[in-house]
């Protein structure tokens, strides 16, 4: 086959670039390869020169910095000669095609009518007035209010961590709403990290990285990002966010972040980012104690015009103790049941609703109790239960203990993971699914789980 210069080049069978990518994927042991490397397209090979098309300069530079040395090693071994790679930028979209696509309006520049943009506005329902404070969340609320009152003095980021359903997102939006309430022209970006990731991927694909950077680096007076743990394992987006974070910090733009986990508990996160997350104040929100749960129920009932007798509120607050979201969901269920039955909310209805949601748990039962009982039942040590051994005689008991903590105590996945060797919540989810499958298919495991449930009083 002749090349453009009239010479000949040899194209070996197969796709040497794809083979190199697959080899690197195996090296990473994750099967979850970098998005930008996967989007590079093999064009041709001329002797030892491999031509590859990439989406844009960012993708080219990313691959060069992260993978090129290893790619050349693998290509050289596969081709049997010293290899090199030449990158070609993909053609920009045809103007006629681009005109047919929905156009994203450019971010307004400083000095224009600003305020939050589509998809970046704080939730208007979440304000400080509607946030019920208690010992469990008082520090987080006070710091959030301080930032909202004096954003120009917030030189360091605020990092709020808590299990799901405890009010992190509420506080995040409350900061944004308070700032906009004082100055509606403030450029507040309030969004989830998942949305940030999706925007970045779309910016790379649509050749609009410059507009993406401008939105976050220049056209932002306050950045509020929810669930930053979503960034784990996404190397390309982490790199971009790292630079955005630095620019905003240098500009003294306030940054508030929330997560299910502390910065040090974020596996798969660039160490530079974890360090920056820890630059400022790290505060947590604990599950609400009885008095705060009671206050939350009463405030929510007042907002929703639900007649909630005191004894019913106390019963619900006593029984539902995991999250604010569960409290509010139980109240909504009570209101619906009462409306369907055309009756008032009373203790009989509350007991019926609570009985359908979850069994009464003995107050003495904890994850520690479950771990001790599982260790005794399976004959392993607590160190093995919480350790990293992949032996089946350790993995099965570990999964069973996680399953009982979730299904028996209704603990949040991140909270369970922290007590089992600081494991990721996705690991706990997989463990619970595995035990659910074993219970269906393995009579011995099903019997062991049933015995443990009875022993612990969570049957």
């Amino acid at each position: 086959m002749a090349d453009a210069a009239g010479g000949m080049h040899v194209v070996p069978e197969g796709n040497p670039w794809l083979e190199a990518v697959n080899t690197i994927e195996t090296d990473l042991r994750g099967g979850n390869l970098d998005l930008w490397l996967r989007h590079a397209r093999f064009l041709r090979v001329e002797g030892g020169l491999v031509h590859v098309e990439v989406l844009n300069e960012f993708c080219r530079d990313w691959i060069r910095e992260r993978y090129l040395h290893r790619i050349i090693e693998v290509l050289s071994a596969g081709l049997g000669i010293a290899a090199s790679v030449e990158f070609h930028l993909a053609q920009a979209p045809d103007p006629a095609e681009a005109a047919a696509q929905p156009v994203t309006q450019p971010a307004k520049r400083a000095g224009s009518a600003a305020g939050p943009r589509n998809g970046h506005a704080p939730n208007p329902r979440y304000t400080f007035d509607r946030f019920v404070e208690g010992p469990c969340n008082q520090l987080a609320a006070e710091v959030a209010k301080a930032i909202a009152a004096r954003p120009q003095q917030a030189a360091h980021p605020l990092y709020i961590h808590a299990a799901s359903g405890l009010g992190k997102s509420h506080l995040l939006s409350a900061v944004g709403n308070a700032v906009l309430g004082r100055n509606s022209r403030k450029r507040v970006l309030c969004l989830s990290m998942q949305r940030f990731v999706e925007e970045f991927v779309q910016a790379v694909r649509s050749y609009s990285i410059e507009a993406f950077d401008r939105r976050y680096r220049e056209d932002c007076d306050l950045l509020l990002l929810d669930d930053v743990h979503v960034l784990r394992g996404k190397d390309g987006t982490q790199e971009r966010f790292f630079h955005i974070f630095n620019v905003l910090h240098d500009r003294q733009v306030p940054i508030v972040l929330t997560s299910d986990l502390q910065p040090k508990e974020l596996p798969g996160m660039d160490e530079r980012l974890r360090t920056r997350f820890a630059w400022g104040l790290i505060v947590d929100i604990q599950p609400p104690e009885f008095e705060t749960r009671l206050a939350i129920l009463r405030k929510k009932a007042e907002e929703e015009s639900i007649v909630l007798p005191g004894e019913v509120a106390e019963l619900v607050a006593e029984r539902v103790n995991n999250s604010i979201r569960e409290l509010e969901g139980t109240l909504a269920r009570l209101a619906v049941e009462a409306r369907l039955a055309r009756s008032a909310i009373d203790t009989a209805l509350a007991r019926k609703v609570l009985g359908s949601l979850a069994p009464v748990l003995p107050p003495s039962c904890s994850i520690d109790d479950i771990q001790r009982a599982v260790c005794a039942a399976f004959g392993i040590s607590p160190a093995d239960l919480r350790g990293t051994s992949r032996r089946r005689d350790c993995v099965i008991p570990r999964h069973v203990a996680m399953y009982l903590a979730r299904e028996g105590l209704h603990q949040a996945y991140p909270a369970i993971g922290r007590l089992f060797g600081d494991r990721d919540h996705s690991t706990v989810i997989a463990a619970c699914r595995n035990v659910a499958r074993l219970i269906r298919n393995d009579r011995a495991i099903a019997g062991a789980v049933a015995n443990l449930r009875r022993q612990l009083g969570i049957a």
Side-chain angles (χ1 to χ4, degrees):
M1 187 175 187
D3 60 21
M8 299 296 293
H9 65 268
V10 178
V11 180
E13 292 184 9
N15 183 331
W17 171 262
L18 182 58
E19 291 171 5
V21 168
N22 289 337
T23 299
I24 293 171
E25 187 174 54
T26 302
D27 291 346
L28 295 177
R29 300 179 183 177
N32 186 21
L33 195 61
D34 189 294
L35 173 67
W36 320 124
L37 192 53
R38 272 294 180 195
H39 273 287
R41 187 170 69 91
F42 171 70
L43 297 176
R44 64 187 182 278
V45 59
E46 299 169 349
L49 181 61
V50 179
H51 295 264
V52 177
E53 182 183 77
V54 293
L55 291 173
N56 48 38
E57 292 180 354
F58 170 80
C59 296
R60 178 197 63 197
D61 296 343
W62 178 258
I63 293 172
R64 279 177 175 169
E65 293 173 7
R66 298 279 173 144
Y67 302 108
L68 189 57
H69 179 72
R70 177 60 177 147
I71 287 171
I72 289 175
E73 285 183 350
V74 177
L75 287 173
S76 298
L79 296 173
I81 56 175
S84 58
V85 177
E86 182 171 329
F87 292 102
H88 302 266
L89 300 184
Q91 293 286 328
D94 183 85
E97 292 182 10
Q101 298 298 320
V103 177
T104 301
Q105 294 298 322
K108 295 178 181 177
R109 306 297 295 171
S112 64
R117 292 163 187 79
N118 246 356
H120 296 153
N123 188 324
R125 294 174 53 248
Y126 292 158
T127 63
F128 286 123
D129 289 341
R130 301 183 72 177
F131 187 83
V132 178
E133 292 185 38
C136 58
N137 58 30
Q138 193 167 31
L139 177 59
E142 287 178 356
V143 176
K145 288 178 180 177
I147 289 176
R150 297 177 295 278
Q152 68 279 2
Q153 297 179 18
H156 299 288
L158 169 62
Y159 187 102
I160 304 172
H161 67 92
S164 180
L166 295 183
K168 303 187 301 293
S169 299
H170 190 140
L171 274 182
L172 198 71
S173 278
V175 172
N177 285 321
V179 169
L180 289 169
R182 292 185 178 90
N183 185 348
S184 63
R185 295 177 64 83
K186 285 289 185 182
R187 299 166 301 180
V188 176
L189 298 183
C190 180
L191 67 159
S192 69
M193 181 56 81
Q194 182 61 43
R195 175 68 181 267
F196 181 91
V197 171
E198 290 168 359
E199 286 186 4
F200 177 55
V201 171
Q202 182 57 35
V204 172
R205 290 175 174 169
S206 61
Y207 307 88
S208 56
I209 288 289
E210 184 178 344
F212 175 87
D213 279 348
R214 183 171 62 248
R215 181 185 309 129
Y216 288 99
R217 294 186 183 193
E218 301 174 32
D219 297 342
C220 177
D221 298 320
L222 171 64
L223 180 61
L224 307 168
L225 272 175
D226 205 10
D227 294 335
V228 297
H229 51 268
V230 168
L231 202 54
R232 289 175 298 175
K234 298 176 175 64
D235 291 348
T237 317
Q238 285 187 36
E239 182 78 14
R240 210 67 183 184
F241 182 63
F242 170 77
H243 294 296
I244 288 171
F245 187 102
N246 286 343
V247 170
L248 294 181
H249 187 266
D250 290 343
R251 288 181 52 218
Q252 296 187 315
V253 171
I255 301 172
V256 183
L257 310 169
T258 76
S259 175
D260 288 352
L261 303 168
Q262 297 186 49
K264 66 181 181 181
E265 297 173 337
L266 290 169
M269 189 73 75
D270 190 317
E271 184 61 32
R272 298 175 301 171
L273 275 178
R274 284 197 287 189
T275 300
R276 278 154 180 76
F277 292 165
W279 269 355
L281 185 60
I282 300 174
V283 297
D284 70 336
I285 300 176
Q286 294 296 322
E289 63 290 326
F290 175 78
E291 292 78 11
T292 304
R293 297 198 298 271
L294 195 58
I296 290 169
L297 279 171
R298 287 171 173 164
K299 188 172 185 65
K300 186 69 175 178
E302 180 183 347
E303 290 174 354
E304 301 292 336
S305 300
I306 297 171
V307 179
L308 185 68
E311 63 272 18
V312 174
E314 291 179 5
L315 178 60
V316 174
E318 181 66 40
R319 287 284 307 278
V320 182
N321 53 25
N322 285 322
S323 77
I324 297 168
R325 193 172 296 145
E326 288 184 30
L327 275 176
E328 294 179 345
T330 303
L331 179 61
R333 175 77 178 273
L334 280 170
V336 170
E337 293 279 358
R339 189 162 57 248
L340 291 175
R342 297 183 179 178
S343 66
I345 295 175
D346 56 21
T347 53
L349 178 62
R351 288 194 179 95
K352 174 188 172 186
V353 169
L354 290 167
S356 68
L357 295 177
V360 178
L361 301 177
S364 60
C365 187
S366 66
I367 291 182
D368 283 341
D369 296 324
I370 287 175
Q371 290 180 339
R372 283 192 290 269
V374 169
C375 285
F378 287 88
I380 66 170
S381 70
D384 284 335
L385 188 75
R386 293 187 289 266
T388 59
S389 173
R390 301 303 301 164
R391 299 198 319 268
R392 180 178 172 81
D393 61 346
C394 293
V395 170
I396 295 300
R398 186 182 303 139
H399 286 187
V400 166
M402 291 178 178
Y403 174 86
L404 291 172
R406 176 63 182 177
E407 298 300 317
L409 301 185
H410 308 284
Q411 293 291 311
Y413 292 119
I416 296 171
R418 285 194 289 271
L419 293 173
F420 282 84
D422 284 332
R423 284 178 163 80
D424 181 72
H425 75 284
S426 61
T427 301
V428 181
I429 293 172
C432 292
R433 289 175 178 169
N434 181 42
V435 174
R437 179 183 57 79
L438 288 173
I439 289 173
R440 292 193 301 269
N441 301 319
D442 189 322
R443 296 176 67 178
I445 295 295
V449 171
N451 287 337
L452 284 163
R453 279 183 175 274
R454 285 191 293 271
Q455 176 186 336
L456 293 163
I458 55 176

